[in-house]
Amino acid sequence: MRPLEGITVVTLEHAIAAPFASRQLADLGARVIKIERPGVGDFARGYDERVRGLASHFVWTNRSKESLTLDVKHPEAQKILHRLVLEQADVVLQNLAPGASARLGLSYEALSAKKPGIIVCDISGYGNNGPYRDKKAYDLLIQSESGFLSVTGTPDEPCKAGPSIADTAAGMYAYTNILAALLQRGKTGRGQHIDISMLESLVEWTSYPLYYAFDGAAPPPRTGASHATIYPYGPFPAGDGKVVMLGLQNEREWGLFCDKVLLQPALASDERFTSNSRRVAAREALRALIVDAFASLTAEQVVERLEAAQIANAQVNSMHEVWAHPQLKARDRWREVDTAIGKVPALLPPGSWQHGEPRMDPVPALGQHNDAILAELGYSAAQIEALRAEKAI
């Protein structure tokens, strides 16, 4: 039995933050019923066609769910939605525009008056109150607003993170808060209102540079793929044109690096480099020495020296190389999930379970579960067809 079997989550979700949260609940066995707009669905379905015609974001965040299409502006569809929530849901999760779910009667205040054990989780850009409450928020905009962009990139230009980290951060905090609320409900019988802000989620993830700039101090500089405040820690070219990523964390490793990797043991006591702060201040001079030492070596030879000295290192992998990563293969981390266009590979959720595996069920087609879910609520085949004719579903 998976941990969340018997828990039903009804979601009014789109894009990434809420779908990522609910997919992880589904991974643990929860039944997730995804409410989508008839004919269109979650707009992330249309972001691209990179997975054999399906959208990459959607395939990632929506497996193991059931898709029910409802035009929530239609009176009959609203009745279905409310019945579904009040009769079956343990959790309502939404990331609609601010105020939209409350207008549908799905606020925690409205639902808990009828169902005290309900858990309602709202995800928004800036939270349910404050002067920014109604401001539109997308991932890149929150990366900017949170200060993340100010410390990411090169000295000449800020750069966004490649993945949607503001959405992902919000999704992770929604997921963990919902788990905590379920635990609390098990003790008290009471539900909970959870208010997740993308801004607050990413500011939490950016708190190290925030504290580094405490009391008006200078923030960490933008240093590309190198660490801003630890050095040497970043990419270095080898003589064959390939790049090696390496990182030092302490003075013992600095001594080993000079002795066994650079083959210049005297460098360890060079006054310019005898502490991390000094190495950071003299990073350009030190980088030149490292690049010069690596110029006669292939990337493979550099890695051999780093491994012999037990200095942390990594390859700068492409996405194609990650698909074939030997560690993921050795740990048997890939599975296949069904979709409307056939099976596609999917990574097992992080974490290993001694007994059984996380749920890895299909990615739903739009409205795939309409008839089954409505039949559960007592609708006949004729009634379902009438709803379809009225475009309520």
Side-chain angles (χ1 to χ4, degrees):
M1 181 176 178
R2 296 185 180 95
L4 295 185
E5 284 185 19
I7 297 295
T8 297
V9 182
V10 173
T11 72
L12 292 92
E13 60 180 25
H14 55 80
I16 306 305
F20 185 49
S22 62
R23 195 220 75 193
Q24 293 178 96
L25 297 169
D27 292 342
L28 297 183
R31 182 187 188 189
V32 177
I33 300 173
K34 182 182 179 80
I35 309 301
E36 300 192 73
R37 288 171 290 183
V40 179
D42 179 342
F43 56 67
R45 286 183 181 271
Y47 276 172
D48 57 57
E49 303 81 31
R50 303 297 296 223
V51 187
R52 299 172 192 159
L54 302 180
S56 51
H57 281 89
F58 194 85
V59 170
W60 167 41
T61 58
N62 286 283
R63 66 170 181 256
S64 305
K65 299 179 185 180
E66 299 171 43
S67 173
L68 171 63
T69 55
L70 293 175
D71 177 358
V72 295
K73 295 180 180 178
H74 192 290
E76 289 302 315
Q78 285 190 23
K79 290 178 185 177
I80 294 168
L81 178 57
H82 279 260
R83 281 193 60 193
L84 189 63
V85 168
L86 294 173
E87 293 178 20
Q88 296 195 22
D90 298 279
V91 178
V92 174
L93 171 63
Q94 66 86 22
N95 66 334
L96 303 178
S101 66
R103 290 191 293 273
L104 293 171
L106 298 179
S107 68
Y108 176 73
E109 291 72 21
L111 292 177
S112 62
K114 301 174 183 176
K115 191 172 185 177
I118 195 75
I119 294 164
V120 176
C121 181
D122 300 327
I123 303 177
S124 62
Y126 295 98
N128 282 342
N129 63 334
Y132 281 39
R133 191 197 76 153
D134 297 322
K135 191 176 176 69
K136 283 192 174 182
Y138 303 132
D139 184 87
L140 177 55
L141 305 181
I142 297 297
Q143 288 191 37
S144 179
E145 194 75 43
S146 68
F148 177 88
L149 285 186
S150 74
V151 293
T152 306
T154 68
D156 297 325
E157 185 178 14
C159 296
K160 70 179 288 292
S164 303
I165 60 166
D167 283 319
T168 305
M172 286 300 299
Y173 285 115
Y175 167 57
T176 54
N177 274 267
I178 289 169
L179 292 179
L182 287 167
L183 286 172
Q184 185 182 54
R185 191 183 70 171
K187 298 174 183 177
T188 67
R190 298 288 302 181
Q192 180 69 256
H193 179 219
I194 301 165
D195 176 11
I196 299 291
S197 153
M198 291 170 65
L199 176 66
E200 291 155 19
S201 299
L202 196 54
V203 169
E204 171 66 28
W205 281 17
T206 314
S207 286
Y208 139 65
L210 194 62
Y211 277 116
Y212 191 89
F214 188 67
D215 252 355
R222 294 194 300 267
T223 53
S226 293
H227 199 288
T229 60
I230 304 174
Y231 203 79
Y233 190 167
F236 294 89
D240 59 359
K242 296 181 179 179
V243 174
V244 176
M245 185 75 70
L246 64 90
L248 277 66
Q249 292 286 324
N250 54 55
E251 298 313 300
R252 180 186 64 80
E253 290 183 348
W254 168 241
L256 289 169
F257 181 70
C258 293
D259 185 17
K260 297 184 179 297
V261 179
L262 300 181
L263 305 183
Q264 300 178 50
L267 202 61
S269 57
D270 187 311
E271 283 297 314
R272 294 174 296 173
F273 312 130
T274 53
S275 71
N276 178 62
S277 296
R278 290 182 175 184
R279 291 191 291 274
V280 169
R283 71 164 61 218
E284 293 304 321
L286 180 51
R287 176 178 172 79
L289 290 168
I290 295 170
V291 170
D292 184 63
F294 288 179
S296 61
L297 304 173
T298 65
E300 184 178 358
Q301 290 171 324
V302 172
V303 169
E304 286 175 357
R305 289 192 186 182
L306 291 166
E307 288 291 319
Q310 295 187 315
I311 300 297
N313 63 87
Q315 297 183 70
V316 183
N317 283 327
S318 68
M319 291 294 99
H320 300 117
E321 288 166 326
V322 175
W323 277 114
H325 200 291
Q327 182 68 2
L328 297 175
K329 182 179 180 181
R331 283 172 52 81
D332 192 26
R333 298 308 294 179
W334 293 107
R335 298 292 181 270
E336 287 189 325
V337 298
D338 282 319
T339 73
I341 47 80
K343 293 185 181 296
V344 298
L347 185 71
L348 271 173
S352 296
W353 287 72
Q354 184 178 3
H355 302 293
E357 286 192 353
R359 184 177 170 199
M360 303 281 283
D361 287 353
V363 178
L366 180 62
Q368 179 179 339
H369 302 90
N370 284 5
D371 290 18
I373 294 171
L374 291 172
E376 282 182 47
L377 294 174
Y379 287 82
S380 68
Q383 288 174 313
I384 294 171
E385 283 308 310
L387 289 167
R388 192 170 279 122
E390 292 183 22
K391 299 184 179 180
I393 62 171

